[in-house]
Amino acid sequence: KETVEVPILIIGSGYGGAVSALRLCEAGKKVVMLEMGLNWEKSGVPFSNMLKPGKSAAWLKKKTIAPFMNIFSLTPFTGTLDRMDFENINIWIGRGVGGGSLVNGGMAVTPKESYFKEVFPDLDAEKFYNHYFPLVHKELKVNVIGEQFLKDCPYYKFTRVGEAEAHKAGFKTIRVPNVYDFQYMEKEYRNEVPRSAFNTEVIYGNNHGKNSLDKTYLKKALETGNLEIMDLHCVENIKLNDDKTYTLQVQQIDTSGAVVSDKVFNCKKLILAAGTMGTLKLLLQSNAVNNLPIHEQIGKNWGNNGNFMTGRNWVKPLSGGTGSKQSTIPVGGIDNWDDKEHPFFTEIAPLPMGMDVATALYLLINRVDKKGEISYDSTNKKLSLDWNETHTAKMRENADYFIKKMNRANGGTRSHFLFNNGFGADVCYHPLGGCVLGKATNEYGKLKAHENLYVLDGSLIPGTIGVNPFVTITAIAEYCVENLITQNEFA
Ligand code: FAD
C-alpha cells in the first residue's frame, strides 16, 4: 500500500475544513485535505440542473434523490448530492470539493443573538457579533438582493406571493442574505451572461453565480501554495498510534465509485471536518474497528436543526400561484421566532419544477428541545440514530399552526401533493451536533481524550441554531482555529 506522511491533515472540504485550511495555510503550515467527492472545477464536468439531472445529480445512485424529484434514472457517478436514510429521517449531504456549499441554497443567515447565547452560553457573543460574523460575511461574499429587482422579476413571484400571504396572515417577514452574487443574477435576467439560478441550478451545483467555498475560502487557501486538496479520497477509518500520531486507511476511487488504490496516510495533527454525519461516522466506526478512544459525549446532542418541511396548495390554482419561472435562490423568510407558543423561522422556498404547480413550499426551522443520539451498529456496520416522532412533535404542531393560519387568511390546503400527509418531518438538510463544543471537545474543538485530534464542523453545534447553519458553522470554525493557532497547537 502507498503510504503518505503529512504533518497536518484535514478530512473534508466543507465550511469547517475550508476555514481551517485557509487559516493554517496563512500561518505558514503545509496542509493536506482529503475529500471523498470530486473536484468539479478541475474535472471540467458541468453541474446539471434540476430539470435535466445528469452526472452531478447524485452520489453513486441509479436514481435522483432530490426531494419531490426522485424520478429520474442515472448512471452512477460521484455526484454532488448524497442522502443518508434512517428509520424516521433522511439526511441530505453535499459531496465534492466545497462540501455542502456546492448543493445548498446559499442562504447566509446570522442567528438571533438571544438564541446564540442560549445555545452557546460559554461563548463571548459580543465578539461573535462584532467580529466573527462580519468576518464570515466578508469571506463568504454574502450580499442581498436589490428590492426593485425583487419587485419586478417574474422569477421571484414565489417570494412576493409568499410574503404578501404571510403579511395577510399576520406574520412578519425578513429579507434573507445569500452568497449567490445578485449582480450576476441581474445580468442573467437580462441575458448578458449564462443563466444558473434562473436555469433551475442549485441542488446539483451551480455553474455560475454562487460563491461556493471553492470560490472563496478554498481558493484563497490554495493561493498560499500551502494547501494540497486530494479529491476522490475517502477516509475509511482512523487509528491512534502509541506516539499519539494517527494512521488513516484511505480509498481512492474513480468517478464510478470503483476503488483504484488503497492508501495509508500518517499524520501528526488531524482535523475532522467531514460534516456532522461524516465526522460522527469516522469517530464511532474507528472506535468500533480500531479502538479509537472516544469521549462518552460523542454522538449525544444531535439534532435536525428543527427542520420540518411543509407546503400549501391553492384550491383555485390561478388565484395564488407561485409562477412557472422560479429562481432557485431563496431570498425571503417568515420570522415567528419571538412567538412564545409557536417559535419558528421559515424559508419561503422555491419549487422550480418548470411549471406552475400552485404550491408553496416552506422549510421550517424550529427549536430542538429534545435531542437525538447517534451510535454505531456493529452488526450492520452503520450509524444508527435515536430519532422518532417524539423529537418532532412540537415542530409538527408549529407547522400545523402555520399552515392553518396561512390558509385561513389566503385560502389553500395543506399540500398532499408534496407529502403523504402534508408534513415532511423526515426531510433534514441541517444535521448538527454529536460532537458538541465544550462537551465532547475542549473550548476550541480539540477532542477530549486526544492530544492531536480536532473537530471543526457542524457537529460542534448542539443540534440547533434557529436559522440555516453555515454562517454559524463558519464563524465557530474561525473562532476555534484562531485560538488553536494562538495556543501553538499546530507548531
Ligand atoms: P460539509 O459542508 O457537509 O462538508 C463535509 C465534507 O466532508 C463533504 O464534502 C464530504 O464529502 C466530506 N467527507 C465526509 N466524509 C468523508 C470521508 N470519510 N472522507 C473524505 N471526505 C469526507 N445551510 C445554510 O446555511 N443555508 C442554506 O441555504 C442551506 N441550504 C441547504 C440545502 C441543501 C440541499 C443541503 C443538503 C444543505 C443546506 N444547508 C444550508 C446546510 C449546509 O450546507 C451544511 O450545514 C454545511 O454544508 C455543513 O458544513 P460542514 O463544514 O459541517 O460540512
Side-chain angles (χ1 to χ4, degrees):
K1 273 189 197 177
E2 183 186 340
T3 302
V4 189
E5 307 283 336
V6 290
I8 305 174
L9 196 98
I10 300 176
I11 306 175
S13 62
Y15 293 91
V19 170
S20 316
L22 175 61
R23 300 310 173 205
L24 286 165
C25 290
E26 283 178 340
K29 309 292 171 200
K30 291 271 179 209
V31 175
V32 171
M33 178 181 264
L34 301 181
E35 167 57 56
M36 66 194 272
L38 183 62
N39 187 334
W40 288 86
E41 202 183 334
K42 217 162 112 193
S43 75
V45 179
F47 295 117
S48 44
N49 68 18
M50 289 172 82
L51 298 182
K52 279 196 204 132
K55 286 184 169 162
S56 76
W59 179 257
L60 302 172
K61 308 249 180 332
K62 289 192 176 143
K63 233 170 80 182
T64 50
I65 51 170
F68 330 119
M69 297 184 106
N70 44 4
I71 45 173
F72 299 91
S73 302
L74 297 169
T75 307
F77 191 87
T78 49
T80 54
L81 189 65
D82 199 0
R83 196 180 69 194
M84 286 173 90
D85 296 348
F86 295 91
E87 201 182 338
N88 298 306
I89 190 165
N90 301 319
I91 301 172
W92 277 264
I93 294 166
R95 302 240 178 267
V97 172
S101 77
L102 297 175
V103 302
N104 69 34
M107 293 173 75
V109 199
T110 306
K112 297 226 173 216
E113 190 165 346
S114 55
Y115 198 56
F116 180 83
K117 284 181 176 159
E118 188 182 324
V119 173
F120 289 113
D122 297 333
L123 293 182
D124 178 355
E126 213 182 302
K127 178 108 199 245
F128 270 81
Y129 284 80
N130 291 334
H131 174 65
Y132 294 111
F133 286 130
L135 170 69
V136 159
H137 275 226
K138 189 176 113 254
E139 296 287 3
L140 293 173
K141 303 196 173 164
V142 174
N143 66 154
V144 180
I145 194 167
E147 284 300 316
Q148 194 59 44
F149 180 62
L150 174 57
K151 233 185 202 163
D152 298 338
C153 181
Y155 288 80
Y156 277 107
K157 184 179 176 198
F158 78 94
T159 304
R160 295 194 298 271
V161 168
E163 291 182 350
E165 291 197 337
H167 294 156
K168 207 166 159 205
F171 289 112
K172 189 174 91 189
T173 61
I174 58 159
R175 184 65 51 244
V176 179
N178 204 288
V179 299
Y180 196 93
D181 180 349
F182 288 110
Q183 298 294 324
Y184 186 92
M185 189 185 277
E186 294 202 13
K187 286 191 199 139
E188 71 181 273
Y189 181 54
R190 297 195 298 265
N191 278 321
E192 292 166 13
V193 291
R195 289 186 162 196
S196 187
F198 292 175
N199 183 32
T200 73
E201 290 177 5
V202 68
I203 201 165
Y204 311 141
N206 285 84
N207 290 302
H208 312 278
K210 187 159 80 183
N211 281 307
S212 43
L213 291 166
D214 48 321
K215 311 224 166 29
T216 58
Y217 275 97
L218 291 171
K219 183 163 180 259
K220 273 176 100 171
L222 285 167
E223 281 165 4
T224 64
N226 286 335
L227 174 65
E228 184 183 359
I229 303 177
M230 302 175 82
D231 68 337
L232 300 177
H233 277 67
C234 184
V235 180
E236 294 298 300
N237 58 60
I238 304 163
K239 191 170 147 273
L240 173 66
N241 301 315
D242 291 343
D243 63 356
K244 302 196 169 138
T245 61
Y246 294 91
T247 297
L248 282 64
Q249 301 294 327
V250 178
Q251 290 188 332
Q252 186 181 0
I253 56 174
D254 65 17
T255 53
S256 76
V259 178
V260 292
S261 145
D262 280 306
K263 296 184 181 176
V264 173
F265 281 74
N266 292 321
C267 64
K268 189 154 177 277
K269 297 280 175 181
L270 179 58
I271 297 175
L272 287 175
T276 297
M277 304 312 290
T279 288
L280 289 172
K281 185 169 174 211
L282 280 170
L283 285 171
L284 293 164
Q285 187 171 287
S286 300
N287 171 256
V289 176
N290 287 335
N291 269 326
L292 182 82
I294 54 167
H295 190 263
E296 47 102 13
Q297 283 288 328
I298 302 283
K300 297 204 168 108
N301 284 301
W302 184 92
N304 68 346
N305 198 26
N307 282 188
F308 198 98
M309 257 201 192
T310 186
R312 297 167 47 232
N313 296 130
W314 285 273
V315 184
K316 286 188 228 138
L318 294 176
S319 65
T322 42
S324 57
K325 295 175 174 174
Q326 293 197 19
S327 170
T328 54
I329 300 299
V331 296
I334 296 167
D335 179 2
N336 205 50
W337 200 259
D338 294 333
D339 179 340
K340 292 254 169 331
E341 245 170 78
H342 299 290
F344 63 85
F345 168 78
T346 176
E347 164 185 341
I348 298 172
L351 194 59
M353 288 190 162
M355 55 185 157
D356 195 335
V357 285
T359 301
L361 177 67
Y362 307 95
L363 175 63
L364 265 72
I365 297 178
N366 299 274
R367 298 174 63 98
V368 183
D369 291 326
K370 184 176 177 192
K371 303 284 169 61
E373 184 170 344
I374 297 206
S375 51
Y376 187 73
D377 173 353
S378 300
T379 322
N380 295 314
K381 297 199 167 68
K382 49 184 211 180
L383 292 183
S384 70
L385 172 53
D386 173 21
W387 188 260
N388 55 47
E389 57 282 358
T390 64
H391 295 88
T392 53
K394 179 67 191 171
M395 304 172 197
R396 187 193 179 93
E397 198 190 301
N398 284 349
D400 190 45
Y401 164 81
F402 169 64
I403 292 293
K404 280 192 178 136
K405 204 166 161 190
M406 287 292 273
N407 286 341
R408 227 176 289 130
N410 301 290
T413 57
R414 207 196 277 166
S415 180
H416 292 269
F417 161 69
L418 295 177
F419 312 99
N420 274 345
N421 56 6
F423 292 133
D426 55 346
V427 178
C428 175
Y429 286 172
H430 304 162
L432 296 173
C435 211
V436 170
L437 189 67
K439 285 204 163 107
T441 74
N442 78 355
E443 58 188 322
Y444 305 128
K446 179 164 155 166
L447 270 175
K448 289 187 179 165
H450 287 267
E451 282 183 32
N452 298 308
L453 184 57
Y454 310 84
V455 169
L456 291 171
D457 61 20
S459 64
L460 293 173
I461 300 175
T464 168
I465 196 61
V467 291
N468 313 59
F470 74 60
V471 164
T472 310
I473 296 172
T474 312
I476 298 274
E478 286 278 15
Y479 160 79
C480 287
V481 78
E482 178 185 288
N483 282 287
L484 291 170
I485 291 172
T486 310
Q487 290 191 334
N488 279 328
E489 284 285 336
F490 300 98

